[in-house]
Amino acid sequence: MKSFITFLHESSSPCGCRHYFAKSPTAGIGSFASEDVHENEMLFPFLKRSQDATDDATFDRTDFCRLTNHSYTPNTMLIPFGKDIYAVTIKRVGKGKEFTINYEDILKTVMSMGENFEIRPKVLQITPGFEDMHIEDDTYKSLFDEINYFRSMR
């Protein structure tokens, strides 16, 4: 298996689409594996540095970010690379299984890049085949609000 960095540099299409979106048993729409994905494999951009921002700490969410559901026992984590943040598996995820992430890890990852950050509500629809999919607005005003909701449910 190629290393994460080697894969990024050699791939003509970094983070080829290995997921699709469908109704989730967890909540609403979720992100699912379109093939078996092994541990420590890169999936897709999660947060992308905003192209129109004047700083390095303003991010736009990708559709994969917006539609990947929360779990306290996730199967993905985030890794900063270059100016963006990518989702990487932390365990094997079988074809048709849902990708999940701990939303608190999103916050920790972004905060590790600097205290003054912004995650914009804008969603970049970049998953091939889903560019025209209607994505509902978030119920929560911010990532902090959503994290506090999940904390209150524990």
Side-chain angles (χ1 to χ4, degrees):
M1 179 172 72
K2 291 182 180 179
S3 75
F4 175 74
I5 292 173
T6 301
F7 176 81
L8 277 181
H9 289 291
E10 291 182 359
S11 177
S12 61
S13 174
C15 304
C17 190
R18 300 172 73 185
H19 67 276
Y20 62 93
F21 305 121
K23 184 168 174 37
S24 168
T26 304
I29 303 293
S31 303
F32 294 84
S34 57
E35 60 186 53
D36 287 343
V37 182
H38 299 282
E39 181 178 358
N40 296 321
E41 290 194 40
M42 182 177 57
L43 294 173
F44 206 71
F46 202 81
L47 296 170
K48 295 189 69 63
R49 285 286 160 87
S50 297
Q51 301 236 339
D52 61 346
T54 57
D55 59 36
D56 283 342
T58 302
F59 296 92
D60 290 323
R61 299 176 304 160
T62 65
D63 46 6
F64 187 77
C65 170
R66 171 65 183 92
L67 297 173
T68 299
N69 284 312
H70 167 78
S71 173
Y72 281 113
T73 56
N75 53 26
T76 66
M77 61 179 272
L78 299 179
I79 295 180
F81 185 81
K83 293 185 173 193
D84 301 323
I85 298 174
Y86 291 83
V88 176
T89 54
I90 56 175
K91 57 179 91 168
R92 183 187 174 284
V93 180
K95 181 178 180 179
K97 298 297 182 187
E98 186 170 8
F99 291 115
T100 58
I101 191 155
N102 184 331
Y103 287 174
E104 293 192 41
D105 290 343
I106 300 169
L107 185 59
K108 289 176 191 170
T109 301
V110 176
M111 288 179 74
S112 73
M113 300 175 78
E115 288 184 21
N116 298 317
F117 68 89
E118 176 186 4
I119 300 174
R120 294 181 173 171
K122 176 182 179 179
V123 175
L124 302 175
Q125 293 190 235
I126 60 174
T127 298
F130 292 89
E131 299 93 338
D132 297 324
M133 177 180 166
H134 174 72
I135 298 177
E136 297 288 331
D137 290 336
D138 269 336
T139 307
Y140 303 95
K141 292 180 184 177
S142 72
L143 179 60
F144 296 110
D145 289 344
E146 197 157 4
I147 288 169
N148 285 330
Y149 167 77
F150 285 109
R151 285 177 178 167
S152 73
M153 299 301 291
R154 285 189 104 178

